[in-house]
Amino acid sequence: KVRQLFIDEDASLILNMKPNFQSEDQSCWGFTLDGFYSTKSGYKLIETMQTALNPDHITLPPIEKRIWSNTWKLKTTSKIKHVVWRALAGALAVDESICHTLFTCLSALDTWKAVGLPLPPRGLSPNSVFLNIHYLLVCIKSKDCPLHLKRIIPWILWHIWKARNALVFEKIRLDPPSILMKAEEESKSWYDANFPNSQSLQSTTENHNINLPLKEPPLGSLKCNIGASWSAHDNRSGASWIVRDMRNREMSELWANLWAVDSICSMRMDNIIFESSFVMARIKILNPCHAGEISELVHQILTTVNILQAWSLVYALPSRNIVATKIAESVTIDHIYQSYIANNSPWWLTPLISAVAVASDA
C-alpha cells in the first residue's frame, strides 16, 4: 500500500520509521526543524518546486533576496513593515508610480533632503523602488549613519505614505516639517516603549513633564496666578504670584524668530539660513495670510527679515538643532533668565557643542 502511494525513495523512508504507539498522531510541517510552518519556509518550498519543475526558472538575485529579508527585520511596527513590503511588491494603490509617491514627488523629495541623510551622488532613483529602499537599508546598517537617523527612516516612509493619503482623501496637505515631526515623535515613542534601556536621543537633560496644561488668558489680557505653600515641620510658608499673557508654544516660537532676526540684522550679518525645529511658527511666517490674530507679530518678523538681501527659513529635526534648544531650555528648566549674546559658549554648553562638532566632522 505504501509503495503504491509514494515514490520508492519516500516509501523506503516511511517503512523504516519506528511508530510510537504511546503518542497521538499530529500534523507536522516537514520544511522546518521544529515542525511548524513559517512564511520563509513556504517561499523556500515554492522556489524549490519552481526550480525542480522548470530548470530554466530565474530566481531572485542575492541582493534582492536580502532586501526582502531585511524588510521584515526592520526595527519598527508591523504595519510599517507591511507597507514597505507592499511598496517592494508594487502593491500600493497610487495614481502615479510608487517610486514617485514615496521618493521623487516634490513633497517626498523635500522630506528626504530635510532628514540629513547623505543622498546618493545621482540622487534617489526616479523609477526603482528597489534601489531606493536598498539604499535606505544600507543607511540603517551603516556605522557612519547617526543613530537617530537610522531609527527614524521607517517612520519617514510611513508618514510620507500617510501624507499622500491625507492629500488624496481628506484634501489636507502636510509639508515636510510636519511629516518629519510626526515621524520623529512616533519613532521615539516606539523605541521608548520597546527598548527603554537603549540610548536616548535627548538624554542630555532631564525631562520635565506637566500633566495638565496651563490655561492661557484671552488675547490682550493678563492672568495672575497666586500660589502658597506651608510647612508645619519648620513653621515656614512660601507665597508666590506670576503674571502671564497669551504666550503659547506658537507665540513662543514666533517671538524666538523675531529675536533671532532682529539680532542678526543688528549685527549687520547677511545671507542667512535660519534653521529651527519650529513647525507652527514656520507655517505662519511662510503663509502670513493665515496668521489670524497673531498677524501683527508675523508682519513684524517679515518686515525685519526683509532688510536682509538673502535669507531662508529651513526646518531641522529637533535632534539636529539640539544646541540652540538646550540654550532655550536653560530658561525653562535651569531658570537662567539673563539674556546674552556672546562670542563663546557658556561653560555648561561647551561639552555639547564640542560633541556636535566632532559628530559633524565624522
Side-chain angles (χ1 to χ4, degrees), residues 223-230 237-244:
K223 175 178 282 189
C224 180
N225 288 82
I226 303 171
S229 176
W230 164 257
S237 66
S240 67
W241 58 269
I242 177 172
V243 176
R244 295 178 290 112

Side-chain angles (χ1 to χ4, degrees), residues 131-142:
L131 284 178
N132 290 332
I133 291 183
H134 170 65
Y135 169 73
L136 295 179
L137 292 174
V138 169
C139 288
I140 290 174
K141 289 193 170 186
S142 173

Side-chain angles (χ1 to χ4, degrees), residues 264-324:
I264 290 294
C265 291
S266 299
M267 291 186 289
R268 301 184 182 278
M269 296 180 179
D270 210 332
N271 193 17
I272 303 296
I273 300 172
F274 293 99
E275 187 174 84
S276 74
S277 304
F278 305 151
V279 174
M280 294 178 287
R282 184 175 183 271
I283 292 173
K284 298 294 186 184
I285 294 172
L286 297 181
N287 301 277
C289 57
H290 300 301
E293 59 187 11
I294 55 175
S295 58
E296 183 177 346
L297 179 55
V298 173
H299 176 72
Q300 189 176 355
I301 294 171
L302 291 173
T303 300
T304 306
V305 78
N306 283 327
I307 296 174
L308 304 175
Q309 293 184 359
W311 65 276
S312 61
L313 183 59
V314 178
Y315 175 81
L317 289 171
S319 51
R320 299 178 68 87
N321 195 39
I322 193 168
V323 173

Side-chain angles (χ1 to χ4, degrees), residues 117-128:
L117 284 174
L119 296 179
R122 296 186 180 182
L124 294 169
S125 172
N127 49 30
S128 175

